Amino acid sequence: MSARNLSKLLFVAAAVLVAACESPAPPAEPASEPEPQGSVGDARLLDADADAGNWLMYGRTYDEHRFSPLTQIDENTVDDLGLAWHRELDTTRGLEATPIVYDGVIYTTSSWSVVYAFDAASGEQLWAYDPQVDRPRVARFICCDVVNRGVALYDNKVYVGTLDGRLVALDAKTGTPVWDVSTIDTSKPYAITGYPRIADGKVLIGNAGAEYGVRGYVSAYDALTGDRLWRTYTVPGNPELGFESDAMERAAATWHDEWWTAGGGGTVWEGIVYDPELDFVYFGTGNPTAWYRALRSDELGDNLYVASILALRASDGEYVWHFQTTPNDNWDFDATQPLMLADLDLDGRERRVIMQASKNGFFYVLDRANGEFLSGEQFVDGVTWATSLEPDTGRPIESPSAFMGAEAVIVSPGPRGAHNWNPMAFNPTLGLVYLGAKVGTQSLHAPDVEWMYDANNVNIGRDRDYDGPLVAELAAKPPPHGELVAWNPVAQRAQWRVTHPTVDSGGVLATAGNLVFQGRGDGQFIAYRASDGAKLWEFDAGTGIMAPPVTYLVDGEQYVSVMAGLGGPEGLFNVPGDGPVEFGNGRLLTFALGASASFEPRPFGHSEPPTPAITVDATPETIELGRELYGATCRRCHGTNAVAGPLPDLRYSTAGVHQQFEAIVLGGALAPLGMPAFDDLLTSDEVRAIQAYVLARAAEPE
Ligand code: CA
């Protein structure tokens, strides 16, 4: 089994990207005043808070508060909330999008970067746009499901980033493409799952891929023409090719060995925010490549600017400041979680801050003008990788027990994080930030150089087959759980917490009706009282919820909408012990007071335990090899221990599928359904071993 074949595929063109921080183009033409009927321009976006009836951008307003001033639905009337309409979407994969609502139309995205426009009052579909990504090709290099977090709306256009790395502008009325540009080197395993961000006539977009070995960057495009205005990298490239900026040269001093051969990582896969006051762009960066310190940069240096929060000048993409949440990351602690802007009174002084509930378990409050660390505290119990933060700098004080060289260790949080991409909300009157936290997630890290990384140090997603005493120790720990946390960012402590039966819960909406809305992995969609966390209303969405709800008005009536569809890393890996989870067909649900529509979820899953469809002769050694190969190549989509979530559970494969097993896995026979071919990675014997393992799992008791 050769990892080098994969590496060759990924690095057909081994040259490191050179172009960066190009000369800034002249600023885009300002939106004409008054804005034409039907258009969303800069003035309307800047004043989005006053536009109570619409939800014009990802976090509703540029400060990302996800706080609606609407009060028709409030703590007293929410009891009368019912389903107004629902729209089934043609997918069982994860749905993560924030619907954008303007002038009675909802614009949202489904899996595979498909965009929809619906009538916001009736749910009638107005148009759909499928970017026709080469599904089996891109599915190979997407760590965490074929998701998309939504569109941006500007100048009568809807902007979407696609899994194959394109940025597409669509006519908002018809869904017809106006322009379509590639934002990546398609020979490398980049992908886009994040939303585009509008900033003063520009469209900002990042990408993902640090799990597979790429160099992170963010790009700005002219919203009207699609011309690229600037591109800024987050990690330095090969010094022999010259640095694109002083910031890159400074960063290079924090790396060792030939880091650029694996790309460095630090991808901006989520969380780009624009600050019109300072004209800054903020974002967090992902993990380095490779994940593990022992396999990267001679184990030395902070490795800037991975696992960091950065500010750039919006006009030209020049570096302004950075704050690294996890120096020399060792645990996949991306800093890509949502960023929120606010003005807070800290020690009698009003500060313009930026806040993040980071994957590493700390809630950070920084001065957003200069990146100064103001405060940081653990927002969940059970963080073991660091004991605390240096009071002056915010630099973490690592626990020796979490240090991982060649030895296996258990670390909390695990790679799922204490908080992930799921957006948080802020009630400015109560001064509380609401977020969905994962508490007590652990991971057993057992890296192995020979087994997990190829010659280019590219992570191929394979942990060592560790079977030492830590396996039993991990199994004996209390199961993790989820929480809705109301966090006071000034006092840096929880005001209240709601404990969930599931680890995973969705993004959050806060309203002036003293309400907080959030969905859970088991499909319950719930309204809580914002001031004390009392549960006031709930609805069974029929499938797990990860996405954040939004609220809006049509003809004077307030609606609440949410995408329901469980997938993402948790859904795909389907971690046992996470509590009840609900998979099924994805849908968009919209609620209003006095409404009483209902729906019957399409059947999903299996009512009987699996039974092997065929029998094969296989030795225990072959089945064991199959287990290891399954873990390396199949697990990310078909589930841990061959127990699947939204994708086909291979234990239930029919005799017909088993007869075609090699044709499917090596020959790409199911490519039209999105199943990649692995003929560059696996041999016939190895495929037979995987098949034997799947059949052995089907024969085991549930
Ligand atoms: Ca990551």
Side-chain angles (χ1 to χ4, degrees), residues 138-154:
V138 302
R140 279 279 289 273
F141 302 112
I142 291 171
C143 74
C144 308
D145 205 358
V146 292
V147 293
N148 184 279
R149 295 187 200 87
V151 300
L153 184 64
Y154 185 71

Side-chain angles (χ1 to χ4, degrees), residues 211 287 332 334 359:
E211 263 65 34
N287 58 279
D332 188 29
D334 307 64
K359 199 173 169 183

Side-chain angles (χ1 to χ4, degrees), residues 58 147-151 160-162 191-196 205-208 268-271:
Y58 190 69
V147 293
N148 184 279
R149 295 187 200 87
V151 300
V160 64
T162 65
I192 299 177
T193 57
Y195 59 90
I205 193 76
N207 47 59
V268 186
W269 56 265
E270 178 60 20

Side-chain angles (χ1 to χ4, degrees), residues 85 130 239-240 304 309 312 397 544 597 680 697 702:
W85 56 264
D130 183 345
E240 286 182 8
L304 293 171
I309 298 167
L312 306 182
I397 300 165
D680 59 322
R697 286 288 294 129
E702 282 267 84

Side-chain angles (χ1 to χ4, degrees), residues 147-353:
V147 293
N148 184 279
R149 295 187 200 87
V151 300
L153 184 64
Y154 185 71
D155 184 50
N156 292 315
K157 297 181 193 65
V158 172
Y159 301 85
V160 64
T162 65
L163 282 174
D164 57 1
R166 290 140 63 201
L167 180 63
V168 184
L170 305 170
D171 182 305
K173 284 275 180 291
T174 62
T176 309
V178 178
W179 54 258
D180 180 339
V181 297
S182 176
T183 72
I184 61 165
D185 175 347
T186 53
S187 72
K188 295 184 168 59
Y190 286 104
I192 299 177
T193 57
Y195 59 90
R197 164 69 64 191
I198 302 295
D200 190 24
K202 293 178 271 296
V203 193
L204 308 173
I205 193 76
N207 47 59
E211 263 65 34
Y212 300 98
V214 296
R215 185 184 181 199
Y217 59 85
V218 61
S219 311
Y221 291 83
D222 184 306
L224 302 185
T225 64
D227 294 336
R228 198 169 94 194
L229 303 176
W230 51 259
R231 170 165 295 172
T232 300
Y233 287 97
T234 62
V235 293
N238 185 346
E240 286 182 8
L241 300 175
F243 296 112
E244 295 88 352
S245 64
D246 292 346
M248 283 297 106
E249 188 165 4
R250 289 195 298 275
T254 69
W255 290 82
H256 302 271
D257 198 12
E258 295 187 348
W259 74 87
W260 59 90
T261 56
T267 46
V268 186
W269 56 265
E270 178 60 20
I272 301 175
V273 174
Y274 175 56
D275 180 349
E277 266 178 52
L278 296 169
D279 202 33
F280 288 172
V281 171
Y282 311 98
F283 53 84
T285 58
N287 58 279
T289 311
W291 271 17
Y292 299 125
R293 200 178 281 175
L295 306 176
R296 185 187 75 234
S297 188
D298 282 342
E299 304 186 48
L300 299 171
D302 286 351
N303 300 170
L304 293 171
Y305 302 96
V306 300
S308 300
I309 298 167
L310 279 90
L312 306 182
R313 230 161 40 205
S315 56
D316 57 11
E318 283 295 319
Y319 166 99
V320 182
W321 58 257
H322 80 276
F323 175 83
Q324 193 170 38
T325 51
T326 309
N328 201 357
D329 178 27
N330 208 14
W331 308 278
D332 188 29
F333 285 158
D334 307 64
T336 44
Q337 294 68 53
L339 295 163
M340 183 182 278
L341 315 182
D343 296 338
L344 297 182
D345 187 340
L346 298 177
D347 297 327
R349 182 175 158 203
E350 182 158 285
R351 305 291 294 247
R352 289 188 292 192
V353 308

